[in-house]
Amino acid sequence: MRGVPSDRRFWLGIGISVFFVALLVRSVDGHELLRAFRGIHAGYVVVAVAVTLLSYLVRALRWKYLLSPLGETRFANLCSATLIGYMANNLLPARLGEFIRAWVLARREEMEPGSVFATLVLDRLADGFTVLLFLLATLFTLQLPAGSEAVGQGLVIGGYMMLGLYGVVVVALVLLKRKTAASLRFLEQLLRPFPARLTERVIPLVGSFLGGVRISPRPREWWAVGCTSVAIWVLAVIPVDLVLRAFGFSFPFAVSLFILVLLVFAVMVPASPGYVGTYHAACVYGLLAFGVPRETALSAAIVIHGINYVPVIAVGIVCLWREGLSFQALRRSGPLSGTGTPSGGK
């Protein structure tokens, strides 16, 4: 199936997830783990689920501002595409949900998929720079326990790496945007040894993508993107804090911010769909640094992971059904088939 990562990459991710799961459970007392689950205050978890789902609506709102240079879009379609995309990200490898998210909206709004996908690149850049801002806030507000200096140094190094990566992406986009015609001619030369059908498909898609890399000339919309980006990540920290309170801990808010930053770094590590193992390890070892018992830390990690993955999968499947789509339909005519063309209409 074209567009799907190779089996080698898939199994590498599975292997990494299995390694971290084994590392986490090897010295865990099952009875203590169950006791930690029994002691949870469910009300906090319910609120955490509601806040998590609200964050996806704010993501859809930010996407509307990023799409504004391409035209008006309906908020209901943005919400549906966002939830379907994140649902697919949790079930499929290699963040294929980003392509699905762009394709679903392009299909509903009759837009160019490449241009819509370009706005998701800007969406991820907004996320990256906001997380860097949160990392800076963490380093200035959180006093790590004695013996955790290496963790702080690791966060600083990780922050520099993220800044470098996103900086390179920004510079590349600016250069490609300013030299679009030259970039397309260069790409055409690179593709010359390949079949003409490939060139005929790739060049228009890349041109459409570069055409979608637009920044609104209205400062009001810049502020809207910035404010919604901060709101999205504040809404991501709150469920972490609520889950810790559900387990009886009253840590400063900066601790939840610290755990969130670790989770962001964890999802960058290749793993199985849903980031099983790597996600939990980041949460567990972050909580162990603050004296949380291993069994309670693992219980909290499982709940935080579940809150961030199970509800969006359930709601995403409902949205997929309401759109009249299925995974089979996506494979036949959507982003997983490599066609990249919208089918259907509004």
Side-chain angles (χ1 to χ4, degrees):
M1 181 169 55
R2 290 171 296 178
V4 177
S6 65
D7 288 343
R8 182 179 300 178
R9 183 175 177 180
F10 173 78
W11 288 111
L12 172 64
I14 294 293
I16 292 173
S17 288
V18 169
F19 168 78
F20 277 104
V21 169
L23 190 67
L24 290 172
V25 303
R26 64 176 181 172
S27 56
V28 167
D29 185 320
H31 294 292
E32 290 298 322
L33 186 69
L34 290 175
R35 182 179 300 175
F37 276 121
R38 291 193 191 104
I40 194 170
H41 297 280
Y44 285 111
V45 177
V46 172
V47 177
V49 170
V51 172
T52 299
L53 291 175
L54 175 62
S55 73
Y56 290 105
L57 301 186
V58 181
R59 282 190 175 277
L61 178 61
R62 181 179 66 181
W63 196 16
K64 184 177 181 66
Y65 289 118
L66 291 171
L67 282 159
S68 63
L70 303 181
E72 284 297 317
T73 49
R74 288 175 291 181
F75 186 64
N77 289 340
L78 289 164
C79 291
S80 182
T82 297
L83 289 163
I84 290 170
Y86 276 91
M87 175 269 295
N89 264 344
N90 294 341
L91 297 176
L92 301 174
R95 292 192 178 274
L96 285 173
E98 300 300 326
F99 297 98
I100 291 173
R101 180 180 167 190
W103 180 80
V104 169
L105 186 70
R107 173 181 179 271
R108 292 293 290 169
E109 296 286 346
E110 296 182 347
M111 304 172 78
E112 286 292 330
S115 297
V116 175
F117 182 73
T119 64
L120 293 183
V121 175
L122 300 178
D123 182 272
R124 286 301 177 184
L125 286 173
D127 276 341
F129 286 116
T130 307
V131 169
L132 286 172
L133 179 65
F134 276 41
L135 172 58
L136 190 64
T138 302
L139 294 174
F140 276 103
T141 60
L142 180 64
Q143 182 65 45
L144 289 170
S148 302
E149 292 79 8
V151 176
Q153 293 174 355
L155 288 178
V156 172
I157 293 171
Y160 278 124
M161 291 176 64
M162 281 184 66
L163 180 60
L165 173 62
Y166 287 116
V168 168
V169 173
V170 169
V171 171
L173 287 176
V174 170
L175 292 176
L176 289 172
K177 185 67 176 176
R178 289 185 175 180
K179 303 289 185 180
T180 300
S183 300
L184 292 176
R185 286 197 300 270
F186 178 69
L187 179 59
E188 193 172 359
Q189 291 295 324
L190 290 178
L191 294 175
R192 183 164 291 180
F194 297 94
R197 285 189 303 171
L198 180 63
T199 302
E200 292 170 359
R201 175 180 295 172
V202 170
I203 296 297
L205 282 175
V206 174
S208 174
F209 171 83
L210 294 176
V213 181
R214 301 183 194 175
I215 304 296
S216 173
R218 295 188 287 270
R220 181 179 66 85
E221 294 190 353
W222 301 354
W223 282 104
V225 170
C227 291
T228 50
S229 295
V230 172
I232 287 165
W233 287 95
V234 169
L235 292 172
V237 181
I238 291 173
V240 176
D241 190 70
L242 288 170
V243 170
L244 294 181
R245 293 180 185 279
F247 280 93
F249 298 105
S250 298
F251 290 123
F253 195 70
V255 173
S256 300
L257 194 59
F258 167 72
I259 297 299
L260 179 70
V261 171
L262 290 181
L263 294 177
V264 171
F265 286 143
V267 300
M268 296 180 180
V269 178
S272 67
Y275 315 106
V276 174
T278 53
Y279 191 101
H280 300 82
C283 189
V284 167
Y285 289 112
L287 291 173
L288 288 177
F290 290 92
V292 177
R294 177 176 287 270
E295 288 78 11
T296 305
L298 181 55
S299 301
I302 292 170
V303 173
I304 292 171
H305 181 268
I307 286 172
N308 280 281
Y309 289 87
V310 175
V312 73
I313 289 174
V315 177
I317 289 173
V318 171
C319 290
L320 193 70
W321 172 73
R322 291 191 65 180
E323 292 285 342
L325 295 170
S326 65
F327 282 109
Q328 289 75 18
L330 294 176
R331 284 198 295 267
R332 285 197 304 268
S333 59
L336 302 187
S337 70
T339 62
T341 56
S343 61
K346 293 184 181 181

